[in-house]
Amino acid sequence: MPKPADNHMLTRREAVEIAHVSLNALDKAIEQNIVTVHRRRDRSWLCSDDVGVVALLQKTALPLPITVKRKIRRWVRETQPYRAEHGTELHISDALVVRWSPEISETVNAAESYARLRNQWIEINPEIKGGEPVIRGTRIGVRGIAQRMDEGDTIEILTEDYPHVPAEAFQTAYTYGKAHPRRGRPTRPWRDADEAVGRRGSLPVTG
């Protein structure tokens, strides 16, 4: 089987943000070999279609046997129902049918789109803000963007503040910031205030 393209791979925390499932549910699927973990650059990665599998299993709201979950995973891998123009079904038995919905296709598409845009817009450079993730070509911290949006700012407001930055960059920054919170550092209010971009246009932009 060929290796998945890097622009279709997500970390575990990115996957749960996109699929809106719990990290425990995802880790359980990994332990049960329902989804496949790929080890690259000392990190664990998931394919975008596995994100759809986890979202689909959550939608079933049933305690399915592991053998059935693996059958669903094989069905998704072999038929790629998220590429179909119409909904497809997997008949588990006469009494149980799993239906792939447009909503799950949207989840897979969102995972693929995010992975591609993450590689395009998120930059980590030790020479920029000490290696904090920023929107590429700027000094706008992605965690500050996530904080602003959590506090009520919309993408429309952000694009008014930074008209040279496309909306897709802010949405990508939000997901990345939520999936990659700062860890292991003491609270520094002056840095947090800077990254939160509390005042419109307060962060300089390079380029």
Side-chain angles (χ1 to χ4, degrees), residues 66-142:
I66 294 178
T67 53
V68 172
K69 293 179 180 179
R70 290 175 180 170
K71 185 174 183 178
I72 292 172
R73 176 63 184 96
R74 286 194 301 271
W75 169 61
V76 173
R77 177 176 294 174
E78 293 170 1
T79 68
Q80 297 185 334
Y82 47 89
R83 306 293 185 205
E85 295 183 2
H86 306 286
T88 58
E89 299 178 344
L90 173 65
H91 289 256
I92 302 296
S93 68
D94 291 340
L96 179 61
V97 177
V98 175
R99 181 175 296 110
W100 186 273
S101 69
E103 182 181 358
I104 305 299
S105 291
E106 291 174 5
T107 297
V108 176
N109 292 335
E112 292 181 351
S113 177
Y114 167 76
R116 174 177 54 82
L117 293 172
R118 176 199 59 205
N119 297 341
Q120 177 180 347
W121 287 112
I122 306 302
E123 179 179 14
I124 299 177
N125 186 332
E127 297 181 1
I128 301 177
K129 299 194 72 171
E132 288 290 328
V134 299
I135 294 177
R136 189 178 302 278
T138 77
R139 294 180 62 83
I140 303 174
V142 301

Side-chain angles (χ1 to χ4, degrees), residues 186-203:
T187 300
R188 288 179 280 186
W190 60 91
R191 165 173 255 169
D192 292 341
D194 174 54
E195 290 199 352
V197 202
R199 296 182 301 277
R200 292 189 176 187
S202 62
L203 286 180

